[in-house]
Amino acid sequence: LPTVYSLDGLLVFGLLLVCTCAYLRKVPRLRAWLLSERRGVWGVCHKAAVIGTRLHVAVSMSCLLMAFYVLVGK
């Protein structure tokens, strides 16, 4: 398993954050409750959700490449 202190661990954490926030943005009640703030910690989640929805093809390809790297490359 990659650690957060290495570069690949930071990439995995970032991809998981973007994917999770983009998924939560699709749920109407959670979108109004969690992702309505644009500042602070919830603002980071809002920005990650926007990145995940606008660049969904690039994010999904990055997730596939990172999964391949973690499972086979290491």
Side-chain angles (χ1 to χ4, degrees), residues 40-72:
V41 174
W42 297 119
V44 172
C45 292
H46 172 75
K47 290 173 182 158
V50 169
I51 290 170
T53 54
R54 289 186 182 170
L55 299 174
H56 62 278
V57 174
V59 170
S60 63
M61 292 303 293
S62 299
C63 286
L64 288 174
L65 289 173
M66 185 55 76
F68 182 75
Y69 170 73
V70 168
L71 290 175
V72 177

Side-chain angles (χ1 to χ4, degrees), residues 16-44:
L16 287 174
L17 178 72
V18 168
C19 292
T20 303
C21 291
Y23 177 75
L24 291 178
R25 188 174 183 183
K26 297 292 182 185
V27 180
R29 289 188 181 179
L30 291 177
R31 181 179 185 180
W33 186 51
L34 292 176
L35 300 173
S36 61
E37 278 295 318
R38 295 180 189 251
R39 285 185 244 136
V41 174
W42 297 119
V44 172

Side-chain angles (χ1 to χ4, degrees), residues 3 7 11 15 47 52 59 69 73:
T3 61
L7 180 62
L11 289 174
L15 284 172
K47 290 173 182 158
V59 170
Y69 170 73

